[in-house]
Amino acid sequence: MCYQRGLSMFVTILHNHDHALLEDDPGREARADVVNVAAAMADALSGGKRRVLVKPVDDVTSVADALGDAPDVVVNLCESLGADSRGESLVPAMLELAGLCFTGSSSLALALSLHKNKAKEILSSRGVPTPRAMVIERVEDLVTVDLAFPLIVKPTREDASMGIGFDSVVRDRASLGKAVSRVLRTFHQPALVEQYVEGREIYVPLLGNAGRRALPLTEIQFGAAFADKPKVLSYTAKWDTSSPECLDSPSRLADLPRGLQQRCIAVALDAFEALECRDYGRVDLRVDASGQPWVIDINPNCDLHPQAGYSRSAQAAGLSYQDLALHLIELAQERHHGHQARRLAGPNAARRAAAPHRDLLGRRGGLRARADRRRRPAE
Ligand SMILES: Nc1ncnc2c1ncn2[C@@H]1O[C@H](COP(=O)(O)OP(=O)(O)O)[C@@H](O)[C@H]1O
Ligand SMILES: [Mg+2]
């Protein structure tokens, strides 16, 4: 198996290092935090026969360089590249091309979950409950919105509550227009206008592939700071740790009637599978007054900070942070062992799949040389 080369296992932890790239980055705090996660992971994985390197990356070239020394397994913590959230799916795409063993979901699953409208299309087509929504690309198109108020307006392809504030929840056309303009202007991307679901906010952390299971569910406890405000986990509530919203929205283990808990888990598993997520992740739900869970967000690359909800749920299930880190690596190795490139290795293997990996990233010089040869006859 990929991890048994030599005596030790060589683990590379990749994380984005792009929080200081933009002067005015609306997601700066969220992007900065991943550095702490990488350090905690490195701490948890160091020891035994593992050699662990932490590699910050901020563009495609730095990812290629970071992979040059062929790690046995990559812990992929990248949530963006170059301060652009779309870069999140480019990193696993490069890992896939290089044939490397890595933790977490594929580039396809990460791209689909990031593009909330695409994720919702797939969920709806499979009958997984998700609130009705529309995508608005220009303010002129606001007249086409035919959803009933209240609505919530969010950037179509961001994460970590970027762009979410109290004024994202709108109850009339004038505030809808303002919220949509704000998203278009700040994030330079379409706005998702979605039916706002009043009700409890429940998170379902999922772990594993064959035999996937839910870890203990958590719930956001909206306190006094939300008394006459919409109960949303805004960017401030998530990242400004001294704000009343943050102090008043702790996440706790959810105490749910058994039937509701089972419904939440079933919906979350369906959503996770619909997007082909794998290894670990979290599905966020709002539960309406009738007890129906609605999927509002799928996080295949959820926050793995030791103090974040996912790790605390793992702990409640008896997995220490170190157990969790080691288990994520095991899951990646199990998947990779069955990877097509490995299965095809042998006398009749296709040439493309025979090598341990195709080293596409390491042979940029070679690719250029071939391109030069092709051009020569025309010279
Ligand atoms: N349809 C919705 N109904 C009610 N609250 C919502 C809805 N969508 C989002 N929210 C609130 O906004 C927060 C952030 O939205 P989410 O879709 O999870 O964005 P992100 O991907 O940035 O985390 C959620 O945690 C929740 O509190
Ligand atoms: Mg979310």
Side-chain angles (χ1 to χ4, degrees), residues 18 74 85 101 106 117 149 187 307 346:
D18 51 359
V74 175
S85 299
C101 176
S106 68
N117 54 323
F149 289 101
F187 291 90
Q307 300 309 321

Side-chain angles (χ1 to χ4, degrees), residues 116 159-161 201 203 238 282 284 296-297 299:
K116 293 181 191 294
D159 199 4
S161 286
E201 181 154 333
Y203 295 165
K238 221 173 216 171
R282 201 189 73 219
D284 299 351
I296 55 164
D297 194 20
N299 306 284

Side-chain angles (χ1 to χ4, degrees), residues 27 51 110 126 129 162-163 231 298 308 366:
R51 187 162 70 92
L110 290 184
R126 289 193 167 216
M162 281 184 224
K231 294 177 175 46
I298 302 174

Side-chain angles (χ1 to χ4, degrees), residues 304-317:
L304 290 177
H305 192 287
Q307 300 309 321
Y310 193 92
S311 312
R312 285 192 287 114
S313 284
Q315 196 146 37

